[in-house]
Amino acid sequence: MSKKNTVTFWLVGYTLLMLMVGANIPSPLYSVYQQQWDFSSAILTLIFAVYALVLIPSLLIFGQLSDRIGRKKVLLVGLLISAAGSAIFAFAGSIAWLFIARGLQGLAAGMMSGTATAALVELRPNHRKTASLVASIATAGGTAVGPILGGILAQYGPIPLVLPYIVHLILFIPGFITILMMNETVTSKSTGRWRPQRPSVPSNIRTPFAMGAITAFAAWSVTALFMSLVPSYVSSLMGIHNLAITGGVVFLMLGASAVAQLTFKNLSFRTSMISGLILLIIGLAGILFAVPSQSITLLIISTIITGLGQGLAFMGSMALVNEIAPENRRGDVVSTLYVVIYIGVGLPTIGIGFGAVWIGLYKAIFIFACFIAALSILMSILIAVKMKQRLESPVAG
């Protein structure tokens, strides 16, 4: 691997990290927007949801398109759209602008998530598991850094609803330069007229793909709970309204995720996914007990356990899918995985948000936790029984 490709590899990982940072900077700021413009929790839920609603179809289109026309073009356009989303957030003057900005962020994430992951694997073809690890840490790490960066800058800096986005735009510059100068990683491109196809996974890898995708769904469903509702809960439980602290809860959870991925990167696919799913169950149980007991200590411990579970489950599923994906379909297959992930991000946010109106927030979270626990137990059993010996290789190499 040439020195240029090595530098490009790490900077593409940085670009994916910054994409996720930008998409999550607004998380601790929504309460400020809500107070400023006096909109309901239902509207807040829809602002969260529009991200996934735009992201999912763009994943389906641009994962396939990047297999055809190359990664570089798709990544460049995605970067520009992400920057536009941050700029609109910075100068938003009404609720409508929040929907537009969030939609642009979803479009950019849909264009870049699967495409950047595929590019990382192609830049380091002999170390696919290392590339998968970089992609999963960049995704989880950016999701962790975004809320605490936005919270700190908004709490302690001037112009709190502008500065976080300006900083993000500045941090994006190295990534844009990198993508502009990188060599295309797709060596054989199709010719002729292109039409989007229904997403599909090759029949010979559907069983392991399903195991990886459902595991990732569970991991990111729990992440969505933390991103959308737990900061507000901390604020009401402890009477803390410091944006840096409420954003720090999400950082703690996904920071633990990143630590887990770095520390246990040599676990096998099966061990990583099963361990992660079990830890998710334990962490969610702790969060449920923390609510009636009003224990911030239990909440913190449960948050760390949940983060460790999220990291192991996501790391194993990402590495598995990148390992089994055919070279000429990698962008499509990885994008299909991200579709499942973002369904996991979108549905709980909508379901819990509206469920809270009908039955109360605690009951809505309790039902969600029971569903994830049942799904995790089922998947742990299936993974243990069905996963073949040939997939028992280290997650990172």
Side-chain angles (χ1 to χ4, degrees), residues 375-390:
L375 181 65
S376 297
I377 291 169
L378 176 61
M379 285 309 304
S380 295
I381 294 170
L382 288 175
I383 291 167
V385 172
K386 296 289 187 181
M387 188 164 285
K388 297 180 181 180
Q389 187 65 36
R390 69 183 179 87

Side-chain angles (χ1 to χ4, degrees), residues 12 58-59 61-78 110-120 122-123 179 182-192 194 327-332 335:
V12 169
S58 65
L59 270 169
I61 293 171
F62 291 104
Q64 297 174 17
L65 187 61
S66 74
D67 283 335
R68 184 180 180 88
I69 67 171
R71 315 296 182 205
K72 183 173 179 176
K73 294 177 183 177
V74 174
L75 289 174
L76 279 173
V77 176
M111 294 180 73
M112 293 181 64
S113 296
T115 304
T117 301
L120 285 169
E122 289 156 357
L123 284 165
I179 302 301
M182 73 178 279
N183 295 325
E184 178 54 61
T185 60
V186 175
T187 54
S188 58
K189 302 177 186 177
S190 302
T191 57
W194 175 77
E327 183 176 349
N328 64 338
R329 296 282 303 280
R330 182 168 289 116
D332 191 14
S335 291

Side-chain angles (χ1 to χ4, degrees), residues 9-58:
F9 173 84
W10 291 110
L11 285 174
V12 169
Y14 169 84
T15 303
L16 182 58
L17 176 78
M18 285 300 110
L19 171 75
M20 301 312 299
V21 166
N24 292 283
I25 277 178
S27 291
L29 307 183
Y30 287 126
S31 60
V32 181
Y33 291 120
Q34 196 170 14
Q35 293 172 5
Q36 180 173 293
W37 292 325
D38 192 28
F39 54 84
S40 67
S41 296
I43 295 295
L44 180 59
T45 298
L46 291 175
I47 293 171
F48 269 104
V50 73
Y51 177 80
L53 292 175
V54 173
L55 186 151
I56 289 171
S58 65

Side-chain angles (χ1 to χ4, degrees), residues 6 11 39 46 68 77 89 116 150 196 214 258 273 293 295 299 328 347 363 372:
T6 301
L11 285 174
F39 54 84
L46 291 175
R68 184 180 180 88
V77 176
F89 260 122
I214 295 172
M273 288 192 286
S293 65
S295 171
L299 181 66
N328 64 338
L347 287 182
K363 289 182 179 179
I372 292 297

